[in-house]
Amino acid sequence: MNSAKDRVPLLMADLDRLYPQSQTELDYRTPLQLMVAVMLSAQCTDKRVNLVTPALFARYRTAEDFATADRGELEEFVKTTGFFRNKAKNIQNACRVLVDKFGGEVPKTLDELLELPGLGRKSANCVLGDAFDTPGITVDTHVGRLSRRLGLTRKIDPVKVEFKLMALIPQPSWTDFSHQLILHGRRVCHARGPKCEECTLAHLCPKVGVAKKS
DNA sequence: ATCCCGAGGG
DNA sequence: CCCTCTGGAT
């Protein structure tokens, strides 16, 4: 098997064929809505998030609205996405910072986004890539798992995975590459019982045929 | 039982 | 590195 660096161009070509117009499946209209949706998506399916956001965004429209909302009421809106106390608190505190420090707008740089409580690197890069067209590698559970299976890294630490992928993937492709790995993780390369038989990336994958047992 | 587009804290 | 926070889906 070739080195990771040699396989990356082939991998990218296959992913482009497989998932030509990849994008987030979260529903949103504004950067603020995307920020909130991304915060709700932790340990929760996008589909579930999209079930709660219509009512949520109808009730709260501005960062000020979220910041001054009744905590209990906000919790009820986001309850079914799990971690609802943390999520409601983080959304509220993040929006408080938006109002106090960023004029009520979602900032457009990674460093500023990371100042918002509840927004980690994964979510910040999501907002950058999807709302502001700024390339970012988003290392979630899928991107981490697939990167390891595909032999792009052996690291567990999401930050190390992120930097390894940044070195491996051309910057303009960072956002698309992330979405493509996520889609492939959801549809084929599952955490448990990956469908290696029907995986079109199998010829690039060192893991195929190796201990896929339990 | 185990996983889902995580983040923060120890 | 580990743990906790949480409900829904499979």
Side-chain angles (χ1 to χ4, degrees), chain A residues 31-163:
Chain A
L32 177 65
Q33 290 187 351
L34 176 62
M35 185 196 83
V36 172
V38 167
M39 294 178 84
L40 292 178
S41 73
Q43 294 299 299
C44 177
T45 59
D46 289 358
K47 200 172 299 182
R48 169 58 46 187
V49 173
N50 290 336
L51 245 34
V52 314
T53 45
L56 183 68
F57 295 154
R59 178 68 179 83
Y60 311 106
R61 297 182 179 283
T62 66
E64 176 81 26
D65 292 340
F66 281 107
T68 59
D70 175 77
R71 178 69 59 86
E73 186 186 346
L74 184 54
E75 287 180 354
E76 284 307 312
F77 274 103
V78 304
K79 190 141 200 146
T80 60
T81 65
F83 298 160
F84 65 92
R85 287 183 215 92
N86 283 334
K87 287 177 180 177
K89 175 169 54 140
N90 287 152
I91 288 169
Q92 200 149 40
N93 290 339
C95 284
R96 173 47 59 198
V97 176
L98 290 186
V99 172
D100 290 344
K101 184 161 180 182
F102 297 108
E105 300 292 316
V106 179
K108 303 185 179 182
T109 69
L110 181 61
D111 287 339
E112 289 174 315
L113 287 166
L114 291 176
E115 292 180 37
L116 306 176
L119 240 84
R121 298 190 65 91
K122 180 263 166 185
S123 300
N125 276 318
C126 260
V127 173
L128 283 180
D130 295 326
F132 299 131
D133 290 314
T134 302
I137 296 278
T138 62
V139 182
D140 66 353
T141 173
H142 296 301
V143 173
R145 182 179 72 252
L146 269 67
S147 295
R148 286 185 287 277
R149 283 182 178 166
L150 288 164
L152 304 182
T153 179
R154 301 170 76 173
K155 303 295 186 184
I156 298 292
D157 181 348
V159 180
K160 290 177 180 166
V161 175
E162 182 186 333
F163 278 81

